[in-house]
Amino acid sequence: MVDLPAPRPGPGEVRIAVRAAGINPSDWNKRQGLMDQELPQTMGHEAAGVVDELGAGVTDVAVGDRVFGLCADGATQAELAVLSFYAPIPPSLDFPGAAALPAAVETATRALDRLGVGSGSTLLVSGASGSVGSAAVQLAVARGARVIGTASPANHAYLRSLQAEPVTYGEGLVERVRTLTPDGVDLALDVAGSGVLPELIDLAGAPEHVVTLADFAGAREHGVTFSRGDAGRAVHALAEIGGLIESGRFSLPVAKTFPLAAIAEAHRAGEDGQVRGKLVLVIE
């Protein structure tokens, strides 16, 4: 553990006193040396807090405002963080609830935009009960799509509460989906990365109707689009999500919060993969 100089916001950015920061798989990938191997290493891409410094040209928020957003440098798990993309926290949310939103909402929106999901679409989401999957389900429903989501039987009731039609993943997936929609689906989104791209292509009719967020090798093998943030982020989602939350059409549960000192415990909980909902660090 080391102390780093306080970050300063650049043009169009804001610095926040962090109140809560989301935990994501990229955090333990960094810790394990699987990405960004230089040291010292910072962690965290999403946070919520109170604006305490404005970058040049920022006029849409003021010092003291509650905001949430994304940090381009991946350094939100600290007392201070610079947000490159941000929006006001919806009035009904506390800081942990807001910190759970940015990565899942941006990732899901980016994938839905890439697929062109809209009113009248039938979308299959593979891995629909996790934070990104459940965000994709709700955002697609809000666009007027019919959504079928794969999950374990224990999560089927949860998917129904999000207005998705649940099916169990695993062998026989294609047949189970075709019982709901005999002609297959219009589009498919792979969130889980569990080797199901051939089945999704079969159901959606062609590789160009499928996007994966988690299977890079499979995407290359099968000609499917692999969506990643460095190809452009759907940051418009941050400003748009508040209206859905306040109207009761979107929620992303916080499964558990941890103090910053317990970050190792938070990593272990995330790596275990048994938590439904977001893990969030609370920074006092």
Side-chain angles (χ1 to χ4, degrees), residues 122-235:
T122 298
L123 171 70
L124 174 62
V125 178
S126 175
S129 63
S131 59
V132 175
S134 63
V137 167
Q138 294 174 84
L139 292 169
V141 168
R143 295 183 181 200
R146 176 190 181 188
V147 181
I148 298 168
T150 75
S152 65
N155 286 319
H156 283 194
Y158 173 60
L159 290 187
R160 289 190 189 97
S161 76
L162 303 181
Q163 300 182 53
E165 300 169 57
V167 295
T168 303
Y169 56 74
E171 186 176 352
L173 172 65
V174 171
E175 291 73 20
R176 287 190 292 276
V177 172
R178 289 193 184 277
T179 64
L180 297 175
T181 173
D183 294 329
V185 298
D186 300 315
L187 306 162
L189 172 60
D190 170 35
V191 180
S194 53
V196 298
L197 291 183
E199 289 88 342
L200 300 189
I201 293 169
D202 182 358
L203 288 163
E208 56 265 30
H209 299 156
V210 181
V211 164
T212 180
L213 297 169
D215 189 354
F216 181 72
R220 294 185 65 179
E221 179 181 354
H222 299 290
V224 166
T225 296
F226 180 84
S227 178
R228 54 195 307 168
D230 56 8
R233 294 193 178 275
V235 294

Side-chain angles (χ1 to χ4, degrees), residues 21-154:
I23 296 283
N24 291 291
S26 59
D27 297 327
W28 49 86
N29 286 337
K30 281 188 175 186
R31 194 202 70 240
Q32 294 169 359
L34 300 177
M35 55 187 289
D36 302 343
Q37 297 180 356
E38 69 279 359
L39 295 173
Q41 188 58 254
T42 57
M43 293 186 182
H45 290 277
E46 57 185 346
V50 178
V51 176
D52 84 335
E53 186 175 341
L54 305 177
V58 173
T59 59
D60 53 349
V61 296
V63 171
D65 286 356
R66 299 192 326 147
V67 299
F68 72 108
L70 295 163
C71 172
D73 295 331
T76 60
Q77 294 168 13
E79 292 86 353
L80 297 170
V82 170
L83 300 184
S84 304
F85 310 104
Y86 56 87
I89 294 176
S92 64
L93 290 188
D94 58 11
F95 287 116
L101 293 173
V105 169
E106 186 280 325
T107 302
T109 300
R110 175 172 15 104
L112 297 182
D113 287 352
R114 179 65 180 81
L115 283 167
V117 175
S119 179
S121 302
T122 298
L123 171 70
L124 174 62
V125 178
S126 175
S129 63
S131 59
V132 175
S134 63
V137 167
Q138 294 174 84
L139 292 169
V141 168
R143 295 183 181 200
R146 176 190 181 188
V147 181
I148 298 168
T150 75
S152 65

Side-chain angles (χ1 to χ4, degrees), residues 250-265:
F250 186 93
S251 65
L252 196 62
V254 174
K256 190 172 183 180
T257 61
F258 301 81
L260 185 58
I263 189 170
E265 182 185 349

